[in-house]
Amino acid sequence: MRARRAVVCLAACVLVLASPAVRAEKKLPAQPRVAALDWSAVELLLGLGIVPVAVTQPENYNRTVVAPALPEGVVDLGLVVEPNLEVLASLKPDLILANPIQVATQGAFLSRIAPTEAVSIANAGGDPYERAKTETMRVAVRLGRVDEARDLEARTEATLARAEASACPADRHPTYLVWIVDHRNIVVYGRTSLFQTVLDRLGIANAWTGASNASGFTAVGIEQLATGPADARIVHIGPIQSDAARALAGSRLWQTLPAVRGHHVDVVAPVWFYGGLPAIARFADLMADLSKRDCPRG
């Protein structure tokens, strides 16, 4: 249940459209001091070459988002759902970046500390790759990092091109992209997720053709994976939790899935699903590695 609540809580953080700045913009210094209260904002800042002065739950960021890595020494503001505003105020940031929920619920307090803006890549509608580029450039303009944004976009495109070039034509099985909640339930990622960009470049069909929410995923029973293509494989994004792994080992339902019977289940390293260009590039590298590993030789 804790895992399910975590999914619901995390999803809620991106179910509100990006809000405008809480107070009027002012010109930022050449090296702005930016605090990031949400990991999507942290990832974006680091992608632009800016190390935030403070973030929420930095250790969890490095375990969950992974790349770009957050350097040591960044001030810890505590929980994402309840950042320490007293510590934040003492740092005198020039700008605060938060998610839309944080701006909606805490904007009045945050704006007393510094101008505050929402960063929202997920749930923005349209193509996930294009919306990631658009939001990255919007923030880059605000921070005076347009050249860095163009460079980040170019690096992301180059990574996608390399992944596409290395894709194995003989191993393009339809693929379920999932995160296992427990022995009965999973989160499955659909066509509006950021992961779809990579599947499209690799020529891999998304085996999940059902509905997904505005952020590109849905929670369903594991039995739903038995209704798709018989040759589908499963890619689990991030490590399978130990308690879920133990439960799956004894689950008749799991053992009867065609992908499980055929040993077509892979686990890749974590990727921040609510991220932007760095997350897309990271997933492209991970899927390209899988493709090269499984490509028939000779």
Side-chain angles (χ1 to χ4, degrees), residues 259-273:
V260 177
R261 292 201 315 268
H263 304 288
H264 297 308
V265 179
D266 289 294
V267 178
V268 298
V271 181
W272 183 231
F273 173 67

Side-chain angles (χ1 to χ4, degrees), residues 162-170 172 201-204 288 291-292 295:
R162 285 196 305 272
E164 182 177 5
S166 68
C168 180
R172 291 178 176 171
R201 287 298 187 95
L202 296 178
I204 298 172
S291 181
K292 286 184 284 190
C295 194

Side-chain angles (χ1 to χ4, degrees), residues 214-293:
S215 296
F217 67 85
T218 188
V220 299
I222 284 178
E223 71 277 359
Q224 293 295 316
L225 300 188
T227 64
D231 63 338
R233 69 172 177 173
I234 297 171
V235 173
H236 189 279
I237 300 171
I240 301 175
Q241 298 179 40
S242 57
D243 54 347
R246 287 192 296 269
L248 289 176
S251 168
R252 179 177 295 181
L253 176 59
W254 174 254
Q255 300 300 330
T256 59
L257 292 177
V260 177
R261 292 201 315 268
H263 304 288
H264 297 308
V265 179
D266 289 294
V267 178
V268 298
V271 181
W272 183 231
F273 173 67
Y274 299 109
L277 298 181
I280 290 172
R282 176 172 169 77
F283 188 60
D285 280 336
L286 293 171
M287 290 298 290
D289 287 345
L290 273 186
S291 181
K292 286 184 284 190
R293 185 203 70 186

Side-chain angles (χ1 to χ4, degrees), residues 155-179:
R155 295 198 311 269
T156 305
E157 181 59 32
T159 300
L160 287 168
R162 285 196 305 272
E164 182 177 5
S166 68
C168 180
D171 189 49
R172 291 178 176 171
H173 295 281
T175 300
Y176 288 109
L177 303 176
V178 307
W179 182 71

Side-chain angles (χ1 to χ4, degrees), residues 36 38-47 50 52 55-71 74 80 270-272 275 278-279 282:
D38 178 81
W39 291 346
S40 296
V42 176
E43 181 208 59
L44 196 159
L45 287 172
L46 292 172
I50 296 175
V55 304
T56 52
Q57 297 175 257
E59 290 186 3
N60 285 346
Y61 170 92
N62 278 333
R63 283 196 298 266
T64 304
V65 183
V66 184
L70 185 67
V74 176
V80 173
V271 181
W272 183 231
R282 176 172 169 77

Side-chain angles (χ1 to χ4, degrees), residues 97-170:
L97 296 181
N99 66 47
I101 290 289
Q102 290 168 321
V103 171
T105 59
Q106 303 180 61
F109 300 101
L110 295 172
S111 64
R112 296 173 189 171
I113 298 172
T116 302
E117 292 191 14
V119 173
S120 180
I121 296 173
N123 194 45
D127 177 79
Y129 187 28
E130 292 303 319
R131 72 191 185 216
K133 290 189 286 188
T134 298
E135 185 69 345
T136 297
M137 184 56 72
R138 183 187 72 81
V139 174
V141 169
R142 180 79 170 93
L143 296 171
R145 293 294 190 278
V146 172
D147 288 343
E148 288 81 356
R150 289 173 179 153
D151 182 61
L152 175 59
E153 184 176 327
R155 295 198 311 269
T156 305
E157 181 59 32
T159 300
L160 287 168
R162 285 196 305 272
E164 182 177 5
S166 68
C168 180

